[in-house]
Structures are given as structure tokens and as C-alpha cells.
Amino acid sequence: MEDLKSLIREVPDFPKPGILFYDITTLLKDATGWRAVVERMRAHYEASGAEVVAGIEARGFIFAPVLAYALGTGFVPVRKPKKLPAAVSRVEYDLEYGTDALEIHRDAVQPGQKVLIVDDVLATGGTAAAAARLIESLGGTVAGLGFVIELDALKGRGKLNGRTVHALLHY
Ligand code: AMP
């Protein structure tokens, strides 16, 4: 996995002082690295039974649809507020300062459907936990939460309450 880490650019103090930002654009533009990421995620989730892949806006939209295609499932977007045109379910979650929200179309997931949630980075886990709550509010089952990168020190897994979490790379 160290080969993939070498393709991820680490940008200090972005978007604000003290944050070390893991920039995946340098991985995406590398044909071999990009293919390896998708293939490793596909192999990990091949036997998961996932019936649909949900991606979290914005960088989850890069990985989730490609993984859905590779697994032969559909793709569902989990979006920032007021982007989706039809009836939505909404969940609010706490940020360091204030709150944010995510929305999903109410008909995006069927009761009992097994949903794989995908994003680029698992940091504090607030975003992924909100996405999981959204899926479950529609009656879906979270088959797994998949990330390219997990920032272990931030203990995001702890917010995911024992749901199945996997990341390709750990920092
Ligand atoms: P969190 O809710 O704290 O787990 O944050 C997760 C979201 O913020 C993900 O959608 C990431 O894209 C983004 N994110 C958080 N921290 C970083 C970081 N250090 N580098 C890159 N993206 C990050």
C-alpha cells in the first residue's frame, strides 16, 4: 500500500491552519494508481452482498460510482442540502463549529436493501455516521463503509457504532 501512499499529496494548513489535507487528485491522475484503488476496493467488496453503492458529496462521488460500476450495482448520491430535486430525507450533524446536513432522495434505497457507503477520507466520522443514519432512516442496511484513507488518530470508527468499516490506507 506504500506505493499508493506515495501518490497522495499531503498539503499542510489546508483548508485552515493545523489541518494536514490528504489530496487524492495526484492519485486520480495516475493511471496505474487509480486502477489499483478501484480494483482493491472492488476485490474487498466483491462478496459483501452490497446491492447499491452510496457516495457522499463531493469526493465520494469520484469513487462510489466507479465502484458501483465495477461491482455491477447502482449508485445513489448523498448530497449537501437543497441539491436533490425530489422528496428527501435529511440528517443534521455537528461540526467543530456549528452543524451541517446531508440529504438523500426518499426513494433512493428500498427497505432491507444492502447499501455500501463510500467516501475518500474517514476523519472524525461525523459525515459517514450521518450518511449511515440516512440510509438506515429509509430502512436500508449498511453493508459496509469504505474509504480510501482513514485517519486513525481521529477515531472516526468510534462514531460508526460497530458498523463494518474498511479503508485501503491508514495514516
Ligand atoms: P469527518 O466528518 O471529520 O470524518 O470528515 C470527513 C470528510 O471531510 C470527508 O468527506 C473528507 O473528504 C473530508 N476530510 C476531512 N479531513 C480531511 C483531510 N485531512 N484531508 C482530506 N479530506 C478530509
Side-chain angles (χ1 to χ4, degrees):
M1 297 296 174
E2 291 307 311
D3 50 334
L4 288 180
K5 278 192 173 179
S6 71
L7 292 171
I8 292 168
R9 176 162 52 196
E10 299 178 19
V11 184
D13 300 320
F14 183 89
K16 52 187 183 184
I19 304 285
L20 179 61
F21 192 87
Y22 292 88
D23 175 19
I24 49 141
T25 65
T26 40
L27 166 67
L28 297 172
K29 70 176 180 174
D30 185 278
T32 307
W34 170 228
R35 180 176 284 266
V37 166
V38 175
E39 175 52 27
R40 287 176 200 186
M41 290 182 105
R42 186 205 62 75
H44 185 81
Y45 287 111
E46 194 175 22
S48 67
E51 296 167 295
V52 66
V53 181
I56 305 174
E57 185 172 2
R59 285 183 294 279
F61 287 5
I62 297 168
F63 297 95
V66 178
L67 184 57
Y69 182 87
L71 291 172
T73 75
F75 161 72
V76 161
V78 173
R79 297 213 62 178
K80 305 271 168 65
K82 298 186 177 170
K83 302 283 190 185
L84 291 168
V88 296
S89 284
R90 176 190 174 97
V91 66
E92 299 198 348
Y93 58 102
D94 292 329
L95 297 175
E96 195 178 351
Y97 302 103
T99 62
D100 210 342
L102 289 173
E103 294 182 347
I104 191 170
H105 273 147
R106 283 199 199 142
D107 61 0
V109 170
Q110 304 310 309
Q113 207 170 19
K114 293 181 184 164
V115 184
L116 171 60
I117 298 171
V118 169
D119 203 357
D120 64 336
V121 174
L122 175 62
T124 67
T127 309
R133 274 159 51 211
L134 265 187
I135 298 297
E136 288 162 357
S137 77
L138 298 178
T141 301
V142 177
L145 293 116
F147 304 89
V148 181
I149 294 167
E150 179 171 356
L151 307 181
D152 295 343
L154 297 179
K155 299 188 165 68
R157 274 175 197 249
K159 279 213 185 95
L160 296 170
N161 297 335
R163 296 184 188 94
T164 308
V165 180
H166 175 258
L168 290 181
L169 304 173
H170 292 264
Y171 288 86

